[in-house]
Amino acid sequence: MPSIAIIGGTGVAELDGFERIAEHPVNTPYGAPSRPIQEGLLDGTKIYFLQRHGSPAAIPPHSINYRANLWALQSFDIDAIVAINAVGGISASMKTGRLLLPDQVIDYTWGREHTFDEGQDGHLLHIDFTEPYDSALRDDLLGAAAAAGIGLEPRGVHGVTQGPRLESAAEVQRMARDGCDVVGMTGMPEAALARELNIPYAAVCMVVNAAAGLGDMPLTLTSMREILQREAQVVASLLQSFLRGRA
């Protein structure tokens, strides 16, 4: 039976309520994924879970082997991927503690392996990326949030920077002019690779801080972790509601 894959980001090394039943080391044509794929149950439904930064390792955003991660997940007969991202808020509505279901992305990264297409089969892989996130999957997540009484912003633009450093205030101002609502470091090329593999993909963004130059307090990892711990529990409740709706 097809299953859901969950990709966890910063602060989501383990999912609340996840009962692990197996770990699967996977070799891919692109190397090893961030860690073995964990198979288990969440709210009684089988899922596959991958922490993109590794655990207990801490792979920085620009060094993640995104191709290996996506290739490994697709080998388990999954029919959708829900990715969790920790982000900074840019637009006025993206206050700390909000959850966003983005419908668009702007990629500011560079030097990452962005495609499975290496030009070896004589065919160019020009995917349609007009709508980078799967609309049906997004609708299911919005319905799950409503059913669970969880606030989830229904649309927004996810700007993805290179990292691992945080952005300058001027960079954030440019992103605001570009129309970005939040900024993170791991949303691309993950979304595009999922599209190349024809796997429906959606992201849930946890706003854990105001982006550089927009908050009253200095950006510290301590304050971000406090928000991450709280929001990770909310995201776990959202995923449980989502899985119940697909049962």
Side-chain angles (χ1 to χ4, degrees), residues 13 28 30 45 51 61 76 126 163 173 192-193 200:
T28 83
Y30 309 98
T45 300
Q51 219 295 340
F76 289 96
H126 291 309
Q173 290 169 11
L193 292 170

Side-chain angles (χ1 to χ4, degrees), residues 200-224:
Y201 176 99
V204 177
C205 294
M206 306 182 296
V207 181
V208 299
N209 60 274
L214 300 179
D216 297 328
M217 302 293 292
L219 298 178
T220 66
L221 292 177
T222 299
S223 62
M224 292 181 198

